[in-house]
Amino acid sequence: MTNTHLPDISRLASLLADPGRALMLLLMLDGRSYPASELAQHAGLSAQAASNHLAKLLQGGAVKVERHGRHRYYLLANAAIAQALEALSAAAHGHDLARPRAASRVAPELRLARTCYDHLAGRLGIAIADAMLE
């Protein structure tokens, strides 16, 4: 039985299912655009593997590309993708107990506070939202 009224999240989920692609997307949460070489380095991928992953992310609508001369810079496609990544990050935090967590490569300043598209994010953003809810 299929329900045509529900969004098909499986396509986006399949894009996020690869650890290399997920790491590249998480780096882009800071709202900046990145060259493929920097995304590859962050995710521990070869240039060719990163290029293949970025092509899938671009085709799947998770990222967009900006061209500056001969250079291409990748960034998240929109705020909805950023919000989905943040929600999944929060949900996944501490749930993968079978594998030890790798040390985060995100700068401590970005974990503390950052702007992400149109909202405040990071620990400070969460603390402010929690305080407002109380």
Side-chain angles (χ1 to χ4, degrees), residues 12 14-32 34 39 42-43 53-54 57-58 61-64 74-77 81-82 85-86 88-89 117:
L12 178 59
S14 69
L15 290 174
L16 301 175
D18 181 88
R21 286 194 295 268
L23 285 171
M24 290 191 291
L25 289 167
L26 290 172
L27 180 63
M28 290 183 251
L29 266 177
D30 66 2
R32 297 183 347 196
Y34 289 90
L39 292 167
H42 174 75
H53 285 309
L54 288 167
L57 291 169
L58 192 59
V63 299
K64 59 185 176 181
Y74 296 87
L75 65 158
L76 295 179
I81 297 294
L85 289 169
E86 286 184 339
L88 286 170
S89 294
Y117 290 87

PDB file of all heavy atoms in Angstrom, residues 12 14-32 34 39 42-43 53-54 57-58 61-64 74-77 81-82 85-86 88-89 117:
ATOM      1  N   LEU A  12      16.282  10.985  -0.057  1.00  0.00           N
ATOM      2  CA  LEU A  12      17.188  11.797   0.748  1.00  0.00           C
ATOM      3  C   LEU A  12      17.939  10.926   1.746  1.00  0.00           C
ATOM      4  O   LEU A  12      19.143  11.083   1.940  1.00  0.00           O
ATOM      5  CB  LEU A  12      16.428  12.908   1.478  1.00  0.00           C
ATOM      6  CG  LEU A  12      17.260  13.805   2.389  1.00  0.00           C
ATOM      7  CD1 LEU A  12      18.381  14.504   1.625  1.00  0.00           C
ATOM      8  CD2 LEU A  12      16.379  14.813   3.087  1.00  0.00           C
ATOM      9  N   SER A  14      18.823   7.865   1.446  1.00  0.00           N
ATOM     10  CA  SER A  14      19.874   7.100   0.767  1.00  0.00           C
ATOM     11  C   SER A  14      21.102   7.969   0.498  1.00  0.00           C
ATOM     12  O   SER A  14      22.227   7.481   0.520  1.00  0.00           O
ATOM     13  CB  SER A  14      19.354   6.485  -0.531  1.00  0.00           C
ATOM     14  OG  SER A  14      19.102   7.469  -1.500  1.00  0.00           O
ATOM     15  N   LEU A  15      20.885   9.259   0.259  1.00  0.00           N
ATOM     16  CA  LEU A  15      22.022  10.167   0.079  1.00  0.00           C
ATOM     17  C   LEU A  15      22.813  10.328   1.374  1.00  0.00           C
ATOM     18  O   LEU A  15      24.030  10.452   1.360  1.00  0.00           O
ATOM     19  CB  LEU A  15      21.543  11.538  -0.409  1.00  0.00           C
ATOM     20  CG  LEU A  15      21.006  11.617  -1.819  1.00  0.00           C
ATOM     21  CD1 LEU A  15      20.436  13.003  -2.092  1.00  0.00           C
ATOM     22  CD2 LEU A  15      22.083  11.261  -2.833  1.00  0.00           C
ATOM     23  N   LEU A  16      22.111  10.325   2.489  1.00  0.00           N
ATOM     24  CA  LEU A  16      22.759  10.527   3.782  1.00  0.00           C
ATOM     25  C   LEU A  16      23.357   9.245   4.341  1.00  0.00           C
ATOM     26  O   LEU A  16      24.141   9.291   5.290  1.00  0.00           O
ATOM     27  CB  LEU A  16      21.746  11.081   4.787  1.00  0.00           C
ATOM     28  CG  LEU A  16      21.086  12.400   4.418  1.00  0.00           C
ATOM     29  CD1 LEU A  16      20.025  12.761   5.440  1.00  0.00           C
ATOM     30  CD2 LEU A  16      22.111  13.504   4.295  1.00  0.00           C
ATOM     31  N   ALA A  17      23.008   8.101   3.771  1.00  0.00           N
ATOM     32  CA  ALA A  17      23.414   6.818   4.327  1.00  0.00           C
ATOM     33  C   ALA A  17      24.905   6.533   4.187  1.00  0.00           C
ATOM     34  O   ALA A  17      25.447   5.725   4.918  1.00  0.00           O
ATOM     35  CB  ALA A  17      22.614   5.691   3.684  1.00  0.00           C
ATOM     36  N   ASP A  18      25.583   7.177   3.272  1.00  0.00           N
ATOM     37  CA  ASP A  18      27.015   6.952   3.108  1.00  0.00           C
ATOM     38  C   ASP A  18      27.792   7.865   4.054  1.00  0.00           C
ATOM     39  O   ASP A  18      27.576   9.086   4.057  1.00  0.00           O
ATOM     40  CB  ASP A  18      27.432   7.247   1.664  1.00  0.00           C
ATOM     41  CG  ASP A  18      28.900   6.988   1.458  1.00  0.00           C
ATOM     42  OD1 ASP A  18      29.250   5.837   1.147  1.00  0.00           O
ATOM     43  OD2 ASP A  18      29.710   7.925   1.652  1.00  0.00           O
ATOM     44  N   PRO A  19      28.699   7.312   4.870  1.00  0.00           N
ATOM     45  CA  PRO A  19      29.439   8.136   5.841  1.00  0.00           C
ATOM     46  C   PRO A  19      30.237   9.269   5.203  1.00  0.00           C
ATOM     47  O   PRO A  19      30.289  10.372   5.756  1.00  0.00           O
ATOM     48  CB  PRO A  19      30.367   7.132   6.528  1.00  0.00           C
ATOM     49  CG  PRO A  19      29.708   5.812   6.347  1.00  0.00           C
ATOM     50  CD  PRO A  19      29.000   5.892   5.020  1.00  0.00           C
ATOM     51  N   GLY A  20      30.827   9.045   4.048  1.00  0.00           N
ATOM     52  CA  GLY A  20      31.590  10.102   3.382  1.00  0.00           C
ATOM     53  C   GLY A  20      30.705  11.261   2.965  1.00  0.00           C
ATOM     54  O   GLY A  20      31.039  12.432   3.185  1.00  0.00           O
ATOM     55  N   ARG A  21      29.565  10.938   2.371  1.00  0.00           N
ATOM     56  CA  ARG A  21      28.634  11.995   1.977  1.00  0.00           C
ATOM     57  C   ARG A  21      28.107  12.726   3.203  1.00  0.00           C
ATOM     58  O   ARG A  21      27.988  13.953   3.209  1.00  0.00           O
ATOM     59  CB  ARG A  21      27.473  11.424   1.162  1.00  0.00           C
ATOM     60  CG  ARG A  21      27.859  11.045  -0.257  1.00  0.00           C
ATOM     61  CD  ARG A  21      26.651  10.816  -1.136  1.00  0.00           C
ATOM     62  NE  ARG A  21      25.838   9.692  -0.753  1.00  0.00           N
ATOM     63  CZ  ARG A  21      25.972   8.463  -1.231  1.00  0.00           C
ATOM     64  NH1 ARG A  21      26.912   8.189  -2.112  1.00  0.00           N
ATOM     65  NH2 ARG A  21      25.165   7.500  -0.831  1.00  0.00           N
ATOM     66  N   ALA A  22      27.794  11.976   4.254  1.00  0.00           N
ATOM     67  CA  ALA A  22      27.273  12.598   5.472  1.00  0.00           C
ATOM     68  C   ALA A  22      28.294  13.564   6.063  1.00  0.00           C
ATOM     69  O   ALA A  22      27.938  14.677   6.475  1.00  0.00           O
ATOM     70  CB  ALA A  22      26.892  11.526   6.486  1.00  0.00           C
ATOM     71  N   LEU A  23      29.564  13.169   6.100  1.00  0.00           N
ATOM     72  CA  LEU A  23      30.594  14.064   6.643  1.00  0.00           C
ATOM     73  C   LEU A  23      30.731  15.337   5.816  1.00  0.00           C
ATOM     74  O   LEU A  23      30.897  16.428   6.370  1.00  0.00           O
ATOM     75  CB  LEU A  23      31.940  13.335   6.725  1.00  0.00           C
ATOM     76  CG  LEU A  23      32.078  12.330   7.858  1.00  0.00           C
ATOM     77  CD1 LEU A  23      33.355  11.513   7.702  1.00  0.00           C
ATOM     78  CD2 LEU A  23      32.049  13.035   9.199  1.00  0.00           C
ATOM     79  N   MET A  24      30.650  15.206   4.498  1.00  0.00           N
ATOM     80  CA  MET A  24      30.734  16.399   3.655  1.00  0.00           C
ATOM     81  C   MET A  24      29.549  17.323   3.918  1.00  0.00           C
ATOM     82  O   MET A  24      29.718  18.543   4.038  1.00  0.00           O
ATOM     83  CB  MET A  24      30.814  16.016   2.178  1.00  0.00           C
ATOM     84  CG  MET A  24      32.142  15.376   1.801  1.00  0.00           C
ATOM     85  SD  MET A  24      32.410  15.199   0.019  1.00  0.00           S
ATOM     86  CE  MET A  24      31.217  13.947  -0.398  1.00  0.00           C
ATOM     87  N   LEU A  25      28.365  16.741   4.030  1.00  0.00           N
ATOM     88  CA  LEU A  25      27.174  17.555   4.291  1.00  0.00           C
ATOM     89  C   LEU A  25      27.249  18.237   5.658  1.00  0.00           C
ATOM     90  O   LEU A  25      26.882  19.411   5.792  1.00  0.00           O
ATOM     91  CB  LEU A  25      25.915  16.686   4.202  1.00  0.00           C
ATOM     92  CG  LEU A  25      25.531  16.228   2.797  1.00  0.00           C
ATOM     93  CD1 LEU A  25      24.483  15.145   2.869  1.00  0.00           C
ATOM     94  CD2 LEU A  25      25.074  17.394   1.947  1.00  0.00           C
ATOM     95  N   LEU A  26      27.722  17.520   6.656  1.00  0.00           N
ATOM     96  CA  LEU A  26      27.826  18.110   7.993  1.00  0.00           C
ATOM     97  C   LEU A  26      28.809  19.273   8.020  1.00  0.00           C
ATOM     98  O   LEU A  26      28.589  20.254   8.730  1.00  0.00           O
ATOM     99  CB  LEU A  26      28.214  17.042   9.020  1.00  0.00           C
ATOM    100  CG  LEU A  26      27.119  16.017   9.322  1.00  0.00           C
ATOM    101  CD1 LEU A  26      27.672  14.897  10.196  1.00  0.00           C
ATOM    102  CD2 LEU A  26      25.922  16.673   9.986  1.00  0.00           C
ATOM    103  N   LEU A  27      29.877  19.195   7.242  1.00  0.00           N
ATOM    104  CA  LEU A  27      30.813  20.322   7.167  1.00  0.00           C
ATOM    105  C   LEU A  27      30.123  21.553   6.600  1.00  0.00           C
ATOM    106  O   LEU A  27      30.353  22.668   7.059  1.00  0.00           O
ATOM    107  CB  LEU A  27      32.022  19.952   6.307  1.00  0.00           C
ATOM    108  CG  LEU A  27      33.084  21.051   6.157  1.00  0.00           C
ATOM    109  CD1 LEU A  27      33.704  21.398   7.508  1.00  0.00           C
ATOM    110  CD2 LEU A  27      34.151  20.628   5.176  1.00  0.00           C
ATOM    111  N   MET A  28      29.227  21.342   5.651  1.00  0.00           N
ATOM    112  CA  MET A  28      28.543  22.464   5.008  1.00  0.00           C
ATOM    113  C   MET A  28      27.469  23.095   5.884  1.00  0.00           C
ATOM    114  O   MET A  28      26.886  24.117   5.513  1.00  0.00           O
ATOM    115  CB  MET A  28      27.932  22.007   3.682  1.00  0.00           C
ATOM    116  CG  MET A  28      28.956  21.704   2.619  1.00  0.00           C
ATOM    117  SD  MET A  28      28.166  21.263   1.053  1.00  0.00           S
ATOM    118  CE  MET A  28      28.526  19.515   0.982  1.00  0.00           C
ATOM    119  N   LEU A  29      27.224  22.531   7.062  1.00  0.00           N
ATOM    120  CA  LEU A  29      26.213  23.099   7.958  1.00  0.00           C
ATOM    121  C   LEU A  29      26.557  24.511   8.415  1.00  0.00           C
ATOM    122  O   LEU A  29      25.690  25.231   8.882  1.00  0.00           O
ATOM    123  CB  LEU A  29      26.037  22.210   9.202  1.00  0.00           C
ATOM    124  CG  LEU A  29      24.929  21.189   9.143  1.00  0.00           C
ATOM    125  CD1 LEU A  29      24.914  20.344  10.400  1.00  0.00           C
ATOM    126  CD2 LEU A  29      23.583  21.831   8.909  1.00  0.00           C
ATOM    127  N   ASP A  30      27.812  24.910   8.284  1.00  0.00           N
ATOM    128  CA  ASP A  30      28.175  26.261   8.702  1.00  0.00           C
ATOM    129  C   ASP A  30      27.710  27.320   7.705  1.00  0.00           C
ATOM    130  O   ASP A  30      27.893  28.504   7.921  1.00  0.00           O
ATOM    131  CB  ASP A  30      29.672  26.375   8.962  1.00  0.00           C
ATOM    132  CG  ASP A  30      30.535  26.209   7.724  1.00  0.00           C
ATOM    133  OD1 ASP A  30      29.989  26.039   6.611  1.00  0.00           O
ATOM    134  OD2 ASP A  30      31.774  26.239   7.861  1.00  0.00           O
ATOM    135  N   GLY A  31      27.085  26.881   6.599  1.00  0.00           N
ATOM    136  CA  GLY A  31      26.533  27.826   5.633  1.00  0.00           C
ATOM    137  C   GLY A  31      27.517  28.291   4.580  1.00  0.00           C
ATOM    138  O   GLY A  31      27.147  29.034   3.678  1.00  0.00           O
ATOM    139  N   ARG A  32      28.762  27.863   4.696  1.00  0.00           N
ATOM    140  CA  ARG A  32      29.777  28.274   3.715  1.00  0.00           C
ATOM    141  C   ARG A  32      29.787  27.308   2.537  1.00  0.00           C
ATOM    142  O   ARG A  32      29.276  26.208   2.616  1.00  0.00           O
ATOM    143  CB  ARG A  32      31.157  28.308   4.361  1.00  0.00           C
ATOM    144  CG  ARG A  32      31.267  29.316   5.451  1.00  0.00           C
ATOM    145  CD  ARG A  32      32.645  29.423   6.050  1.00  0.00           C
ATOM    146  NE  ARG A  32      33.525  28.336   5.665  1.00  0.00           N
ATOM    147  CZ  ARG A  32      34.646  28.043   6.292  1.00  0.00           C
ATOM    148  NH1 ARG A  32      35.026  28.720   7.341  1.00  0.00           N
ATOM    149  NH2 ARG A  32      35.403  27.047   5.892  1.00  0.00           N
ATOM    150  N   TYR A  34      32.250  25.148  -0.180  1.00  0.00           N
ATOM    151  CA  TYR A  34      33.555  24.508  -0.111  1.00  0.00           C
ATOM    152  C   TYR A  34      33.944  23.919  -1.455  1.00  0.00           C
ATOM    153  O   TYR A  34      33.092  23.377  -2.166  1.00  0.00           O
ATOM    154  CB  TYR A  34      33.533  23.358   0.904  1.00  0.00           C
ATOM    155  CG  TYR A  34      33.441  23.811   2.326  1.00  0.00           C
ATOM    156  CD1 TYR A  34      32.201  23.983   2.929  1.00  0.00           C
ATOM    157  CD2 TYR A  34      34.587  24.078   3.061  1.00  0.00           C
ATOM    158  CE1 TYR A  34      32.106  24.405   4.247  1.00  0.00           C
ATOM    159  CE2 TYR A  34      34.496  24.486   4.381  1.00  0.00           C
ATOM    160  CZ  TYR A  34      33.261  24.656   4.964  1.00  0.00           C
ATOM    161  OH  TYR A  34      33.169  25.081   6.263  1.00  0.00           O
ATOM    162  N   LEU A  39      36.287  19.297   0.895  1.00  0.00           N
ATOM    163  CA  LEU A  39      35.278  18.338   1.336  1.00  0.00           C
ATOM    164  C   LEU A  39      35.854  16.925   1.358  1.00  0.00           C
ATOM    165  O   LEU A  39      35.601  16.156   2.284  1.00  0.00           O
ATOM    166  CB  LEU A  39      34.044  18.410   0.437  1.00  0.00           C
ATOM    167  CG  LEU A  39      33.243  19.708   0.543  1.00  0.00           C
ATOM    168  CD1 LEU A  39      32.252  19.818  -0.604  1.00  0.00           C
ATOM    169  CD2 LEU A  39      32.552  19.804   1.880  1.00  0.00           C
ATOM    170  N   HIS A  42      38.162  16.583   4.408  1.00  0.00           N
ATOM    171  CA  HIS A  42      37.367  16.507   5.641  1.00  0.00           C
ATOM    172  C   HIS A  42      36.755  15.122   5.823  1.00  0.00           C
ATOM    173  O   HIS A  42      36.698  14.598   6.932  1.00  0.00           O
ATOM    174  CB  HIS A  42      36.264  17.566   5.614  1.00  0.00           C
ATOM    175  CG  HIS A  42      35.320  17.482   6.764  1.00  0.00           C
ATOM    176  ND1 HIS A  42      35.651  17.891   8.023  1.00  0.00           N
ATOM    177  CD2 HIS A  42      34.048  17.015   6.840  1.00  0.00           C
ATOM    178  CE1 HIS A  42      34.626  17.674   8.845  1.00  0.00           C
ATOM    179  NE2 HIS A  42      33.638  17.149   8.146  1.00  0.00           N
ATOM    180  N   ALA A  43      36.292  14.530   4.739  1.00  0.00           N
ATOM    181  CA  ALA A  43      35.621  13.230   4.803  1.00  0.00           C
ATOM    182  C   ALA A  43      36.587  12.055   4.687  1.00  0.00           C
ATOM    183  O   ALA A  43      36.168  10.906   4.787  1.00  0.00           O
ATOM    184  CB  ALA A  43      34.561  13.142   3.705  1.00  0.00           C
ATOM    185  N   HIS A  53      30.624  11.350  -5.050  1.00  0.00           N
ATOM    186  CA  HIS A  53      29.628  11.612  -4.011  1.00  0.00           C
ATOM    187  C   HIS A  53      28.953  12.967  -4.225  1.00  0.00           C
ATOM    188  O   HIS A  53      27.738  13.086  -4.081  1.00  0.00           O
ATOM    189  CB  HIS A  53      30.270  11.576  -2.626  1.00  0.00           C
ATOM    190  CG  HIS A  53      30.593  10.194  -2.140  1.00  0.00           C
ATOM    191  ND1 HIS A  53      29.682   9.162  -2.140  1.00  0.00           N
ATOM    192  CD2 HIS A  53      31.732   9.683  -1.631  1.00  0.00           C
ATOM    193  CE1 HIS A  53      30.236   8.070  -1.644  1.00  0.00           C
ATOM    194  NE2 HIS A  53      31.494   8.364  -1.340  1.00  0.00           N
ATOM    195  N   LEU A  54      29.733  13.964  -4.575  1.00  0.00           N
ATOM    196  CA  LEU A  54      29.163  15.294  -4.803  1.00  0.00           C
ATOM    197  C   LEU A  54      28.208  15.287  -5.992  1.00  0.00           C
ATOM    198  O   LEU A  54      27.183  15.969  -5.974  1.00  0.00           O
ATOM    199  CB  LEU A  54      30.265  16.333  -4.978  1.00  0.00           C
ATOM    200  CG  LEU A  54      31.008  16.676  -3.688  1.00  0.00           C
ATOM    201  CD1 LEU A  54      32.284  17.453  -3.987  1.00  0.00           C
ATOM    202  CD2 LEU A  54      30.115  17.448  -2.732  1.00  0.00           C
ATOM    203  N   LEU A  57      25.012  13.907  -4.649  1.00  0.00           N
ATOM    204  CA  LEU A  57      24.341  14.889  -3.798  1.00  0.00           C
ATOM    205  C   LEU A  57      23.720  16.006  -4.629  1.00  0.00           C
ATOM    206  O   LEU A  57      22.622  16.480  -4.321  1.00  0.00           O
ATOM    207  CB  LEU A  57      25.327  15.470  -2.780  1.00  0.00           C
ATOM    208  CG  LEU A  57      25.796  14.507  -1.699  1.00  0.00           C
ATOM    209  CD1 LEU A  57      26.961  15.102  -0.918  1.00  0.00           C
ATOM    210  CD2 LEU A  57      24.652  14.158  -0.760  1.00  0.00           C
ATOM    211  N   LEU A  58      24.409  16.410  -5.671  1.00  0.00           N
ATOM    212  CA  LEU A  58      23.897  17.454  -6.562  1.00  0.00           C
ATOM    213  C   LEU A  58      22.673  16.949  -7.320  1.00  0.00           C
ATOM    214  O   LEU A  58      21.642  17.626  -7.372  1.00  0.00           O
ATOM    215  CB  LEU A  58      25.006  17.872  -7.530  1.00  0.00           C
ATOM    216  CG  LEU A  58      24.816  19.110  -8.358  1.00  0.00           C
ATOM    217  CD1 LEU A  58      24.616  20.331  -7.480  1.00  0.00           C
ATOM    218  CD2 LEU A  58      26.026  19.322  -9.266  1.00  0.00           C
ATOM    219  N   GLY A  61      19.636  16.744  -5.141  1.00  0.00           N
ATOM    220  CA  GLY A  61      19.100  18.004  -4.636  1.00  0.00           C
ATOM    221  C   GLY A  61      19.522  18.369  -3.230  1.00  0.00           C
ATOM    222  O   GLY A  61      18.970  19.296  -2.643  1.00  0.00           O
ATOM    223  N   ALA A  62      20.520  17.681  -2.678  1.00  0.00           N
ATOM    224  CA  ALA A  62      20.968  17.998  -1.321  1.00  0.00           C
ATOM    225  C   ALA A  62      21.964  19.151  -1.296  1.00  0.00           C
ATOM    226  O   ALA A  62      22.082  19.839  -0.289  1.00  0.00           O
ATOM    227  CB  ALA A  62      21.591  16.768  -0.664  1.00  0.00           C
ATOM    228  N   VAL A  63      22.682  19.345  -2.389  1.00  0.00           N
ATOM    229  CA  VAL A  63      23.650  20.440  -2.478  1.00  0.00           C
ATOM    230  C   VAL A  63      23.421  21.203  -3.772  1.00  0.00           C
ATOM    231  O   VAL A  63      22.741  20.733  -4.687  1.00  0.00           O
ATOM    232  CB  VAL A  63      25.122  19.941  -2.414  1.00  0.00           C
ATOM    233  CG1 VAL A  63      25.422  19.235  -1.112  1.00  0.00           C
ATOM    234  CG2 VAL A  63      25.469  19.085  -3.608  1.00  0.00           C
ATOM    235  N   LYS A  64      24.003  22.363  -3.822  1.00  0.00           N
ATOM    236  CA  LYS A  64      24.045  23.126  -5.066  1.00  0.00           C
ATOM    237  C   LYS A  64      25.489  23.554  -5.271  1.00  0.00           C
ATOM    238  O   LYS A  64      26.310  23.459  -4.356  1.00  0.00           O
ATOM    239  CB  LYS A  64      23.087  24.316  -5.037  1.00  0.00           C
ATOM    240  CG  LYS A  64      23.332  25.326  -3.936  1.00  0.00           C
ATOM    241  CD  LYS A  64      22.244  26.385  -3.945  1.00  0.00           C
ATOM    242  CE  LYS A  64      22.432  27.356  -2.776  1.00  0.00           C
ATOM    243  NZ  LYS A  64      21.363  28.373  -2.755  1.00  0.00           N
ATOM    244  N   TYR A  74      30.724  23.944  -3.390  1.00  0.00           N
ATOM    245  CA  TYR A  74      29.494  23.244  -3.027  1.00  0.00           C
ATOM    246  C   TYR A  74      28.959  23.761  -1.699  1.00  0.00           C
ATOM    247  O   TYR A  74      29.719  24.056  -0.784  1.00  0.00           O
ATOM    248  CB  TYR A  74      29.764  21.740  -2.917  1.00  0.00           C
ATOM    249  CG  TYR A  74      30.163  21.144  -4.243  1.00  0.00           C
ATOM    250  CD1 TYR A  74      31.482  21.147  -4.660  1.00  0.00           C
ATOM    251  CD2 TYR A  74      29.194  20.607  -5.085  1.00  0.00           C
ATOM    252  CE1 TYR A  74      31.840  20.615  -5.889  1.00  0.00           C
ATOM    253  CE2 TYR A  74      29.542  20.070  -6.317  1.00  0.00           C
ATOM    254  CZ  TYR A  74      30.869  20.083  -6.705  1.00  0.00           C
ATOM    255  OH  TYR A  74      31.214  19.564  -7.923  1.00  0.00           O
ATOM    256  N   LEU A  75      27.633  23.843  -1.598  1.00  0.00           N
ATOM    257  CA  LEU A  75      26.975  24.244  -0.365  1.00  0.00           C
ATOM    258  C   LEU A  75      25.627  23.535  -0.295  1.00  0.00           C
ATOM    259  O   LEU A  75      25.139  23.012  -1.289  1.00  0.00           O
ATOM    260  CB  LEU A  75      26.819  25.751  -0.268  1.00  0.00           C
ATOM    261  CG  LEU A  75      25.914  26.466  -1.270  1.00  0.00           C
ATOM    262  CD1 LEU A  75      25.479  27.799  -0.656  1.00  0.00           C
ATOM    263  CD2 LEU A  75      26.655  26.738  -2.561  1.00  0.00           C
ATOM    264  N   LEU A  76      25.069  23.521   0.901  1.00  0.00           N
ATOM    265  CA  LEU A  76      23.768  22.870   1.068  1.00  0.00           C
ATOM    266  C   LEU A  76      22.743  23.548   0.174  1.00  0.00           C
ATOM    267  O   LEU A  76      22.771  24.763  -0.016  1.00  0.00           O
ATOM    268  CB  LEU A  76      23.321  22.926   2.530  1.00  0.00           C
ATOM    269  CG  LEU A  76      24.192  22.149   3.525  1.00  0.00           C
ATOM    270  CD1 LEU A  76      23.649  22.318   4.934  1.00  0.00           C
ATOM    271  CD2 LEU A  76      24.287  20.683   3.151  1.00  0.00           C
ATOM    272  N   ALA A  77      21.827  22.760  -0.334  1.00  0.00           N
ATOM    273  CA  ALA A  77      20.849  23.274  -1.299  1.00  0.00           C
ATOM    274  C   ALA A  77      19.904  24.300  -0.701  1.00  0.00           C
ATOM    275  O   ALA A  77      19.517  25.252  -1.367  1.00  0.00           O
ATOM    276  CB  ALA A  77      20.052  22.122  -1.904  1.00  0.00           C
ATOM    277  N   ILE A  81      17.375  21.275   4.068  1.00  0.00           N
ATOM    278  CA  ILE A  81      18.421  20.246   4.155  1.00  0.00           C
ATOM    279  C   ILE A  81      19.229  20.465   5.430  1.00  0.00           C
ATOM    280  O   ILE A  81      19.535  19.514   6.156  1.00  0.00           O
ATOM    281  CB  ILE A  81      19.334  20.274   2.911  1.00  0.00           C
ATOM    282  CG1 ILE A  81      18.552  19.957   1.638  1.00  0.00           C
ATOM    283  CG2 ILE A  81      20.527  19.333   3.089  1.00  0.00           C
ATOM    284  CD1 ILE A  81      18.006  18.545   1.559  1.00  0.00           C
ATOM    285  N   ALA A  82      19.573  21.713   5.729  1.00  0.00           N
ATOM    286  CA  ALA A  82      20.323  22.012   6.955  1.00  0.00           C
ATOM    287  C   ALA A  82      19.535  21.595   8.190  1.00  0.00           C
ATOM    288  O   ALA A  82      20.084  20.986   9.120  1.00  0.00           O
ATOM    289  CB  ALA A  82      20.658  23.500   7.012  1.00  0.00           C
ATOM    290  N   LEU A  85      19.600  17.812   8.545  1.00  0.00           N
ATOM    291  CA  LEU A  85      20.897  17.349   9.052  1.00  0.00           C
ATOM    292  C   LEU A  85      21.037  17.614  10.543  1.00  0.00           C
ATOM    293  O   LEU A  85      21.534  16.765  11.289  1.00  0.00           O
ATOM    294  CB  LEU A  85      22.037  18.032   8.292  1.00  0.00           C
ATOM    295  CG  LEU A  85      22.231  17.589   6.852  1.00  0.00           C
ATOM    296  CD1 LEU A  85      23.200  18.516   6.134  1.00  0.00           C
ATOM    297  CD2 LEU A  85      22.711  16.148   6.799  1.00  0.00           C
ATOM    298  N   GLU A  86      20.612  18.797  10.975  1.00  0.00           N
ATOM    299  CA  GLU A  86      20.697  19.122  12.400  1.00  0.00           C
ATOM    300  C   GLU A  86      19.793  18.205  13.219  1.00  0.00           C
ATOM    301  O   GLU A  86      20.195  17.722  14.279  1.00  0.00           O
ATOM    302  CB  GLU A  86      20.344  20.587  12.643  1.00  0.00           C
ATOM    303  CG  GLU A  86      21.445  21.516  12.212  1.00  0.00           C
ATOM    304  CD  GLU A  86      21.160  22.964  12.537  1.00  0.00           C
ATOM    305  OE1 GLU A  86      19.985  23.339  12.725  1.00  0.00           O
ATOM    306  OE2 GLU A  86      22.128  23.733  12.601  1.00  0.00           O
ATOM    307  N   LEU A  88      18.800  15.133  12.413  1.00  0.00           N
ATOM    308  CA  LEU A  88      19.386  13.798  12.410  1.00  0.00           C
ATOM    309  C   LEU A  88      20.617  13.735  13.306  1.00  0.00           C
ATOM    310  O   LEU A  88      20.852  12.730  13.982  1.00  0.00           O
ATOM    311  CB  LEU A  88      19.737  13.370  10.988  1.00  0.00           C
ATOM    312  CG  LEU A  88      18.552  12.993  10.118  1.00  0.00           C
ATOM    313  CD1 LEU A  88      18.983  12.820   8.666  1.00  0.00           C
ATOM    314  CD2 LEU A  88      17.895  11.722  10.633  1.00  0.00           C
ATOM    315  N   SER A  89      21.406  14.794  13.311  1.00  0.00           N
ATOM    316  CA  SER A  89      22.584  14.841  14.186  1.00  0.00           C
ATOM    317  C   SER A  89      22.168  14.761  15.647  1.00  0.00           C
ATOM    318  O   SER A  89      22.772  14.036  16.439  1.00  0.00           O
ATOM    319  CB  SER A  89      23.378  16.125  13.952  1.00  0.00           C
ATOM    320  OG  SER A  89      23.924  16.136  12.667  1.00  0.00           O
ATOM    321  N   TYR A 117      21.960  29.326   7.986  1.00  0.00           N
ATOM    322  CA  TYR A 117      20.919  29.899   7.165  1.00  0.00           C
ATOM    323  C   TYR A 117      20.204  31.010   7.940  1.00  0.00           C
ATOM    324  O   TYR A 117      20.779  32.033   8.194  1.00  0.00           O
ATOM    325  CB  TYR A 117      19.971  28.819   6.620  1.00  0.00           C
ATOM    326  CG  TYR A 117      20.690  27.975   5.596  1.00  0.00           C
ATOM    327  CD1 TYR A 117      21.440  26.872   5.979  1.00  0.00           C
ATOM    328  CD2 TYR A 117      20.668  28.317   4.259  1.00  0.00           C
ATOM    329  CE1 TYR A 117      22.140  26.126   5.042  1.00  0.00           C
ATOM    330  CE2 TYR A 117      21.355  27.574   3.324  1.00  0.00           C
ATOM    331  CZ  TYR A 117      22.082  26.482   3.712  1.00  0.00           C
ATOM    332  OH  TYR A 117      22.771  25.756   2.793  1.00  0.00           O
TER     333      TYR A 117
END
